[in-house]
Amino acid sequence: MSNARLQAFGAKVRAMRKQKGLSQEELASLAGLDRSYMGHIERGEKNITLLKIYQISDALSLPAAIFLTDE
Amino acid sequence: MSNARLQAFGAKVRAMRKQKGLSQEELASLAGLDRSYMGHIERGEKNITLLKIYQISDALSLPAAIFLTDE
DNA sequence: AGCATCCACGGACTATAATACCCATTTTCC
DNA sequence: GGAAAATGGGTATTATAGTCCGTGGATGCT
């Protein structure tokens, strides 16, 4: 599994996570996700489901929509 | 599977689909999905994956972000 | 050097999304 | 009222999302 849109999503997550000064493991814990899964997401290797997207956006206190690219 | 955010997503898909004057079957066909699956999505019964969200937004020629609620 | 933190990546397993059917019910329109 | 179109909702199977464990490499710090 690999796709430009998934990579764009993951890159956005990573950027926002770093902006908050969190490690992958810290964000994963906040979002209630597995640490290695968070790594796969940021690398764009997984086709994440909608509710997981919300778990991450909740953990970062950001609207979920900002993680989706326009194109 | 049932959840307020999934229902909100489905409601948005339905609203946009009707605005374009399409049937579930027509939209499903445009998006390359099964008609009954589209029904489940609109009713908020499925936790859709990111790439499927894009398939639907592409079919409707709308940005994917508009289907995600802020809360 | 040694220790700690962070991340990439993999394997094995479980849960569930997604596909492809089906039939019943509702809605639409003549 | 009746036919056709549109939708609701179920079932069974396959594909894959997601979990849980580990290993190794890179970096920084004392």
Side-chain angles (χ1 to χ4, degrees):
Chain A
M1 176 64 57
S2 187
N3 174 287
R5 279 161 158 173
L6 299 184
Q7 286 172 6
F9 176 86
K12 208 73 172 252
V13 170
R14 176 164 298 184
M16 296 299 105
R17 170 176 66 79
K18 296 208 165 181
Q19 202 169 81
K20 304 250 176 186
L22 299 171
S23 69
Q24 279 186 357
E25 189 156 9
E26 286 169 332
L27 176 55
S29 173
L30 284 171
L33 302 177
D34 186 69
R35 123 190 100 73
S36 76
Y37 186 60
M38 187 64 68
H40 285 292
I41 291 300
E42 289 194 359
R43 273 173 267 133
E45 295 169 357
K46 284 289 182 179
N47 186 16
I48 190 171
T49 57
L50 185 50
L51 293 180
K52 299 287 174 204
I53 293 174
Y54 280 117
Q55 283 177 234
I56 293 174
S57 66
D58 286 349
L60 289 168
S61 304
L62 293 169
I66 71 163
F67 297 100
L68 306 202
T69 59
D70 281 353
E71 47 201 302
Chain B
M1 175 65 56
S2 187
N3 174 287
R5 279 162 158 174
L6 298 185
Q7 287 171 8
F9 176 85
K12 205 76 178 243
V13 170
R14 176 163 297 184
M16 295 301 104
R17 170 176 66 80
K18 295 208 166 184
Q19 200 168 82
K20 303 252 177 186
L22 299 171
S23 68
Q24 278 186 359
E25 187 156 11
E26 287 169 330
L27 175 56
S29 173
L30 284 171
L33 303 177
D34 186 69
R35 177 196 67 76
S36 77
Y37 185 60
M38 186 65 68
H40 285 291
I41 292 299
E42 288 193 358
R43 273 173 266 132
E45 295 169 357
K46 281 290 181 180
N47 186 17
I48 191 172
T49 56
L50 185 50
L51 292 181
K52 295 291 169 205
I53 293 173
Y54 280 117
Q55 281 179 237
I56 293 173
S57 67
D58 285 349
L60 289 168
S61 303
L62 292 169
I66 71 164
F67 297 101
L68 306 202
T69 59
D70 282 352
E71 48 198 300

